[in-house]
Amino acid sequence: MENLLKRKIDSFLIEWKNNPEHMPLIVKGARQIGKTESIRHFAKHHYAHVIEINFVLQKQYKDIFDDGFEVDTILKNITLKNPDLEFVPGETLIFFDELQECINCATSLKSFRADGRYDVICSGSMMRIDYREIESNSVGNKEDYEMYSMDFEEFLWAKGYKPEQIEDLYRHMITLTPFSHVEYDVMLENFREYMVLGGMPAIVNSFVKNKNYSGTLRLQRQILLDYKEDITKYAGGLDQRKILSVYRKIPVFLSKENKKFQISKVERGARSREYVGTVDWLNNAGIVSVCYCMQQPELPLKGNYNPDNFKIYYRDTGLLIASLDEEAQEDLRFNKNFNTYKGAIYENMVGDMLVKQGYSLFFYKNDKGTLEMDFFVRDADSLIPVEVKAGDNATYSLNTLINDEAYDDIRYGIKFGNKNIGFNGKFYTFPYFVAFLLKRFLKEKDHGEQNTYHAKDSY
């Protein structure tokens, strides 16, 4: 099927192919995010010959590595099973799909890399894959690309927006120029659509094609059911019931004022040690993102957090909304009353946008509960608190972190809300819908012309 949706992996794959030193590639990610379609689309337009082997649908190919890992031996075994396949050096892509079903395939990547006659791409669902085993079988002989569901920029592409229109959003950011009423209202409406739909390609495609939400909730709920079925099927040695219990409780914790995930509340008498690995499994499967509480709001981010104190967010906010009860669904879809869910939907949304830019997630809350911050990122030399506001209430914690000399790694902050662009000398205010551009903004802002004043410079 022709891939109608433009994805960021499209340009990455072209760059990969054009690099004369490119290694075999493994594209990993959660199920149903568009991995196979994107690779097929790329292969069709860039190779004269494409050999696609799916180890789930074509189990007969799982033994092609049994006679050893020399490339010619592997190709001989493939053509024994299908004599019509043609391997032309320099013009052929071999696409091994559902890699997790045939770990020996990963071992063969070293041979394919050394041989160099054929390009190789592997793909697999993270829900069903032990990447530690694959890593040990192919270390140093492959490149990894982690793919996510569609981000907001890809959603805008799907709706027909041009690159120059998205560049204009960034221009507003970097020059601190507020949006006009028309610009703001239209983009906020797009953003609300994206929150309800999420970024699963089949759902976005349905919405764009039909120009309404008809059938999208049914598709989302089917994905949620598929995830539950896969947990039951692929959780391996871990207690599947415990993973399902954690998975089902995520919306419950997000709906509370304190969104911290507490194992003791998952089921009566539950102890943390009994649930070791369950959250990691969901995270590694690409279903959730884990946001860890920092010990102190200071650099470095990694190594400065409590692994037992965390929040859990859905990787796809559309699936979070689809997991809520009917009344919440109706309120969100028809009344657009996103504020009622304790800010969790906006928080989940911004968290997802950060993850899709390559950020790990960290938050902070002191023991007294008097100081808390939703997220932290960093630029070249400072720690940056990121606050997400569902409403327009005060920003006590943000101001404290910026002003207090005790937090000397923090020089300025970011606030996302339903507010136009602004800068008050302490923090930048941005509407939610430009959060996907944050990493680029932080990298380039000091090269722009706007004021780079830091709040603590005056002390």
Side-chain angles (χ1 to χ4, degrees):
M1 185 180 98
E2 181 73 9
N3 178 21
L4 301 176
L5 296 173
K6 180 183 175 186
R7 303 296 302 274
K8 292 187 173 175
I9 193 175
D10 299 343
S11 55
F12 170 83
L13 290 171
I14 294 168
E15 288 171 15
W16 169 80
K17 184 180 190 302
N18 290 339
N19 177 1
E21 304 296 319
H22 68 260
M23 295 189 284
L25 178 68
I26 296 181
V27 178
K28 54 187 180 179
R31 62 177 288 161
Q32 299 188 44
I33 58 170
K35 298 184 298 295
T36 300
E37 289 81 359
S38 292
I39 295 166
R40 281 179 182 158
H41 177 73
F42 161 73
K44 177 181 175 181
H45 290 89
H46 292 90
Y47 291 89
H49 303 275
V50 180
I51 312 299
E52 180 178 339
I53 294 173
N54 182 308
F55 291 117
V56 169
L57 301 178
Q58 299 165 294
K59 297 184 189 299
Q60 69 270 26
Y61 286 96
K62 289 174 74 168
D63 64 0
I64 58 176
F65 309 101
D66 287 0
D67 297 322
F69 296 102
E70 288 299 317
V71 170
D72 285 333
T73 303
I74 295 166
L75 301 191
K76 177 185 172 187
N77 285 342
I78 292 173
T79 52
L80 278 171
K81 294 173 186 289
N82 186 348
D84 294 332
L85 296 178
E86 189 176 0
F87 294 87
V88 179
E91 298 179 14
T92 303
L93 174 70
I94 304 171
F95 173 26
F96 294 118
D97 204 2
E98 305 290 1
L99 171 66
Q100 72 285 344
E101 297 293 334
C102 186
I103 298 302
N104 276 342
C105 181
T107 309
S108 75
L109 298 183
K110 182 176 182 180
S111 299
F112 276 108
R113 185 194 177 195
D115 181 271
R117 287 176 291 165
Y118 310 101
D119 286 353
V120 178
I121 297 180
C122 304
S123 177
S125 165
M126 293 170 74
M127 184 174 278
R128 299 172 286 178
I129 199 162
D130 185 346
Y131 271 97
R132 286 168 299 190
E133 190 177 352
I134 283 180
E135 186 62 45
S136 66
N137 286 8
S138 57
V139 62
N141 293 292
K142 49 87 177 159
E143 182 176 355
D144 288 313
Y145 181 93
E146 185 167 352
M147 192 173 173
Y148 302 99
S149 66
M150 297 171 72
D151 69 9
F152 185 51
E153 184 171 12
E154 290 172 317
F155 177 75
L156 292 176
W157 290 344
K159 289 200 68 182
Y161 285 90
K162 305 293 186 289
E164 54 269 25
Q165 292 174 293
I166 292 166
E167 192 62 25
D168 191 54
L169 297 178
Y170 182 69
R171 185 187 60 77
H172 277 274
M173 254 183 121
I174 199 69
T175 60
L176 297 178
T177 306
F179 293 99
S180 71
H181 286 301
V182 172
E183 290 171 324
Y184 191 98
D185 291 347
V186 169
M187 276 301 148
L188 186 61
E189 182 59 27
N190 282 321
F191 183 75
R192 284 171 169 160
E193 289 173 356
Y194 176 64
M195 277 204 293
V196 169
L197 292 163
M200 292 298 186
I203 293 158
V204 173
N205 225 358
S206 170
F207 177 78
V208 171
K209 192 167 73 174
N210 298 325
K211 295 185 168 49
N212 60 50
Y213 292 103
S214 175
T216 56
L217 178 57
R218 179 182 53 77
L219 290 170
Q220 286 171 321
R221 288 192 167 156
Q222 185 57 52
I223 291 174
L224 290 169
L225 286 172
D226 290 344
Y227 278 177
K228 287 178 182 174
E229 187 180 307
D230 275 0
I231 290 169
T232 305
K233 187 175 178 183
Y234 293 108
L238 286 167
D239 189 322
Q240 295 149 359
R241 183 185 58 80
K242 290 190 173 85
I243 295 176
L244 280 170
S245 295
V246 170
Y247 176 61
R248 290 190 187 110
K249 282 290 196 318
I250 295 169
V252 176
F253 285 103
L254 287 177
S255 70
K256 301 189 182 308
E257 204 66 56
N258 173 12
K259 299 175 182 67
K260 177 184 170 184
F261 196 87
Q262 295 169 286
I263 294 294
S264 60
K265 302 276 177 69
V266 171
E267 52 186 0
R268 189 168 301 191
R271 296 193 177 113
S272 292
R273 67 172 180 269
E274 297 169 350
Y275 281 77
V276 169
T278 56
V279 174
D280 284 341
W281 192 92
L282 288 166
N283 184 34
N284 292 336
I287 299 172
V288 304
S289 294
V290 182
C291 183
Y292 291 102
C293 185
M294 298 175 70
Q295 307 275 23
Q296 292 295 329
E298 61 189 24
L299 294 173
L301 281 166
K302 291 180 178 172
N304 174 33
Y305 65 88
N306 181 351
D308 299 320
N309 186 351
F310 54 85
K311 302 176 186 178
I312 303 178
Y313 297 108
Y314 272 75
R315 282 277 177 98
D316 189 274
T317 303
L319 296 184
L320 165 62
I321 291 178
S323 71
L324 305 178
D325 57 57
E326 297 285 350
E327 291 76 19
Q329 284 281 333
E330 190 163 323
D331 200 21
L332 293 166
R333 285 172 184 269
F334 299 105
N335 303 321
K336 300 177 184 173
N337 194 11
F338 295 101
N339 294 6
T340 57
Y341 208 66
K342 304 284 194 298
I345 292 169
Y346 288 113
E347 211 174 290
N348 198 107
M349 188 77 255
V350 173
D352 185 49
M353 292 167 108
L354 293 177
V355 167
K356 285 171 178 171
Q357 291 172 77
Y359 287 114
S360 298
L361 299 184
F362 300 96
F363 76 101
Y364 179 70
K365 186 170 187 176
N366 65 9
D367 293 337
K368 297 176 183 175
T370 54
L371 189 67
E372 57 184 309
M373 185 50 52
D374 300 315
F375 301 108
F376 286 89
V377 296
R378 63 166 301 170
D379 61 14
D381 57 6
S382 61
L383 182 66
I384 305 161
V386 177
E387 186 172 58
V388 182
K389 285 293 183 186
D392 193 26
N393 41 333
T395 54
Y396 167 79
S397 291
L398 187 57
N399 281 312
T400 302
L401 288 166
I402 295 167
N403 292 333
D404 195 321
E405 285 293 307
Y407 310 112
D408 57 0
D409 285 337
I410 297 171
R411 301 182 183 182
Y412 64 95
I414 304 284
K415 177 183 172 183
F416 287 111
N418 190 3
K419 296 279 286 181
N420 217 322
I421 291 175
F423 179 60
N424 63 3
K426 296 180 181 180
F427 57 84
Y428 298 89
T429 301
F430 293 120
Y432 307 112
F433 56 77
V434 295
F436 74 97
L437 292 163
L438 180 64
K439 193 166 196 173
R440 181 181 170 191
F441 171 79
L442 294 178
K443 187 177 178 182
E444 298 177 5
K445 75 175 183 64
D446 288 333
H447 302 295
E449 297 177 1
Q450 82 280 3
N451 188 353
T452 54
Y453 166 83
H454 293 269
K456 292 193 177 96
D457 291 347
S458 61
Y459 286 86

